Amino acid sequence: MMGIAALWISLLLIGGGVALDRVLSDAITRNFDDGMNYVLTAMIAAAEIGPEGEVLFNRELADQRFLEPNSGLYYQVSAKGHEDWRSRSLWDRALKVPEEHRDRHLHVYDSKQFPGEDLRIMERTVVLPGSDSRWLFMVGQARSGLDAQIKTLRATLFQSFAMLALGLFVLATLQTFYGLRPLRKVRQEIVRMRDGQKSRLTEPMPAEVLPMVEELNALLAHNERQAEEARTHAGNLAHALKTPLTVIMNAATAQSPDLGEAVIREATTMRRQVDHHLARARAVGRRGAAQSRAEVWASLTAVERAVQRLYPHTRVDMDGDREAAVRVERQDLDEMLGNLIENAAKYGGGSVFATVKRAGDMVEILVEDDGMGIPLEERVRIFDRGVRLDSGKPGTGLGLAIVRDVAEIYGGSVLLEESEDLGGLLARLRLPAA
């Protein structure tokens, strides 16, 4: 930032300095030329033809430098066939008469015809009354005074612009230093959090940095929640596996005759627990993805085809909003809908109806069946892991528990109600709309 500011300031000041130098140098040069033009005009106004055809001044020029040899201010009047009339300041020198200027326009140019003395020359060709000759009036002045003024001007401009550039550089440096100071404070706060001194960024911050600090604090809170959920899941899994392992160890220690059956039974229990916690872990890991989005109708269609192959005698009908989408990973949505529709097909009477509708900022998916339903007092307990009301049909008792846990991870919910149309169970799954 400071390098870019220094480069930009330098370019602007150089460009401005060059432009200002040209303007002021031209103004000084015009003022210098105006003084010469005044003298040239006075010479022409005072000129007249003498008795022998020479040029005379009817009054003396006011500037005394014309009388001092090598004073730096000179004049000369020339014409073809006539002797040059020169100022005394030229002494034994003469101004060169240009061959290319034969018009009556005013001409101004620089000349180096005198060694060690650069001249600024102004000339004009006129025809005087009483003479047929074209007289060339010339005024020459040393450029030393003009060059000294321009040099003083440029030195002043350079010093002023150098001081201005230094001041702007210092200002840009201070602005950058103090402007980025809140970021250094954020870094220091993060160092303190890494050292365990604090858990959040609590220092007051400017309005420009505050949104970043708020997002950082939200990210820290999100990570803490995920870490806590991971610890909880690990603890639950360890607790769930502890009892089956104890049963297996006791049976093995006692050399129980039904050891094989006990191992199979308890291993099946452990596998159910592992599957359940893996499903939760996958959902938690995918929950933070900003691009989580799933089309409900596409997921329902895929689940319906799978359920029809498992239960060919069950009819699954669907209706509702075909454009609805939820902020859930497609795999998790398939798993939740698969559990609900499979349960409806397994325990129903052969008819399943799924409805999709919007409810504010949520999407509701209703899965109904024509089975026996679930008593009101059992609708809460059925969500517990391993609980099965009908043990005569195959299953693990984890389907509804997985649906509830995954839905809650995404900010949704699942409720069990009585179906008014089919008379069986109605599962109401609510998920955030995308």
Side-chain angles (χ1 to χ4, degrees):
M1 291 173 62
M2 290 185 289
I4 293 175
L7 178 62
W8 185 242
I9 290 171
S10 300
L11 291 176
L12 289 179
L13 290 182
I14 290 173
V18 170
L20 191 58
D21 172 74
R22 286 190 176 184
V23 171
L24 296 180
S25 297
D26 289 346
I28 294 175
T29 302
R30 284 196 304 270
N31 185 59
F32 187 83
D33 292 343
D34 288 343
M36 294 176 60
N37 190 29
Y38 175 80
V39 173
L40 183 62
T41 303
M43 287 172 55
I44 296 173
E48 60 183 23
I49 302 299
E52 298 181 2
E54 77 278 15
V55 171
L56 298 174
F57 288 158
N58 54 27
R59 58 180 181 274
E60 291 293 333
L61 299 179
D63 201 321
Q64 294 299 311
R65 288 178 293 174
F66 288 123
L67 303 178
E68 301 174 5
N70 302 319
S71 64
L73 182 60
Y74 318 104
Y75 71 76
Q76 179 176 300
V77 182
S78 303
K80 198 170 185 179
H82 295 273
E83 185 178 356
D84 295 338
W85 185 29
R86 297 173 293 169
S87 64
R88 185 177 298 179
S89 56
L90 281 170
W91 198 246
D92 58 350
R93 299 178 296 180
L95 298 175
K96 291 181 180 180
V97 178
E99 295 295 333
E100 64 273 12
H101 296 165
R102 293 299 179 185
D103 52 37
R104 297 187 181 184
H105 296 292
L106 184 67
H107 298 279
V108 182
Y109 57 92
D110 295 323
S111 173
K112 296 181 179 294
Q113 56 188 274
F114 292 169
E117 187 179 27
D118 295 341
L119 296 178
R120 180 85 170 165
I121 297 177
M122 182 177 290
E123 61 185 29
R124 174 175 285 174
T125 301
V126 298
V127 177
L128 295 175
S131 173
D132 295 332
S133 300
R134 297 170 63 88
W135 298 91
L136 180 64
F137 287 76
M138 304 175 66
V139 175
Q141 188 170 351
R143 282 190 56 98
S144 56
L146 175 61
D147 292 339
Q149 292 183 52
I150 294 177
K151 184 178 180 180
T152 301
L153 166 68
R154 289 177 175 170
T156 304
L157 282 178
F158 179 80
Q159 294 173 2
S160 301
F161 274 65
M163 293 179 62
L164 179 60
L166 179 62
L168 291 175
F169 292 158
V170 172
L171 178 61
T173 301
L174 292 176
Q175 185 177 14
T176 302
F177 180 81
Y178 285 105
L180 297 179
R181 188 177 180 183
L183 296 183
R184 289 192 292 275
K185 291 174 63 177
V186 172
R187 184 188 66 182
Q188 294 167 358
E189 290 285 287
I190 293 176
V191 170
R192 294 191 185 97
M193 287 191 296
R194 185 182 61 191
D195 294 340
Q197 300 177 18
K198 54 185 2 181
S199 60
R200 293 289 187 276
L201 275 70
T202 56
E203 287 291 325
M205 296 291 175
E208 294 79 5
V209 183
L210 190 58
M212 181 190 70
V213 173
E214 292 175 348
E215 291 297 330
L216 184 57
N217 284 333
L219 176 62
L220 292 172
H222 172 73
N223 290 340
E224 287 181 359
R225 286 196 302 270
Q226 284 197 323
E228 182 61 31
E229 289 176 354
R231 287 192 294 269
T232 302
H233 295 165
N236 290 340
L237 180 59
H239 180 74
L241 297 179
K242 183 178 180 180
T243 300
L245 286 174
T246 302
V247 172
I248 293 174
M249 291 180 64
N250 291 339
T253 302
Q255 297 182 353
S256 174
D258 60 344
L259 177 61
E261 296 179 1
V263 170
I264 293 174
R265 182 179 65 254
E266 299 304 326
T268 302
T269 302
M270 288 190 290
R271 186 179 64 182
R272 291 202 308 265
Q273 297 294 340
V274 170
D275 291 341
H276 171 70
H277 286 280
L278 283 178
R280 283 183 57 91
R282 285 195 301 267
V284 171
R286 291 190 291 260
R287 176 185 56 187
Q291 66 273 17
S292 296
R293 177 186 173 90
E295 304 291 337
V296 176
W297 199 263
S299 181
L300 272 176
T301 303
V303 170
E304 183 267 338
R305 287 196 297 266
V307 171
Q308 287 287 178
R309 287 194 293 269
L310 291 175
Y311 302 94
H313 300 293
T314 298
R315 177 181 176 181
V316 180
D317 296 316
M318 299 181 298
D319 192 17
D321 188 355
R322 294 173 177 261
E323 305 298 327
V326 292
R327 286 192 289 109
V328 178
E329 282 289 331
R330 172 64 184 271
Q331 183 178 349
D332 295 329
L333 181 60
D334 288 349
E335 186 167 9
M336 288 186 287
L337 294 179
N339 278 315
L340 292 179
I341 294 179
E342 184 181 358
N343 283 344
K346 182 190 302 184
Y347 299 107
S351 184
V352 178
F353 194 78
T355 307
V356 182
K357 61 181 181 179
R358 294 292 297 264
D361 58 349
M362 304 291 284
V363 172
E364 286 191 348
I365 305 167
L366 309 180
V367 178
E368 304 174 70
D369 63 63
D370 57 349
M372 299 298 294
I374 297 177
L376 182 62
E377 61 274 9
E378 300 290 343
R379 291 176 188 172
V380 176
R381 192 173 68 89
I382 193 64
F383 285 106
D384 294 340
R385 291 190 294 272
V387 174
R388 299 172 59 205
L389 300 183
D390 186 357
S391 58
K393 295 184 179 181
T396 62
L398 291 174
L400 288 177
I402 291 176
V403 173
R404 180 199 60 189
D405 292 346
V406 174
E408 291 178 352
I409 286 172
Y410 283 102
S413 63
V414 60
L415 297 174
L416 298 182
E417 304 171 7
E418 183 178 350
S419 173
E420 296 181 359
D421 296 330
L422 300 182
L425 185 66
L426 182 149
R428 186 185 301 272
L429 177 61
R430 290 171 54 87
L431 296 172

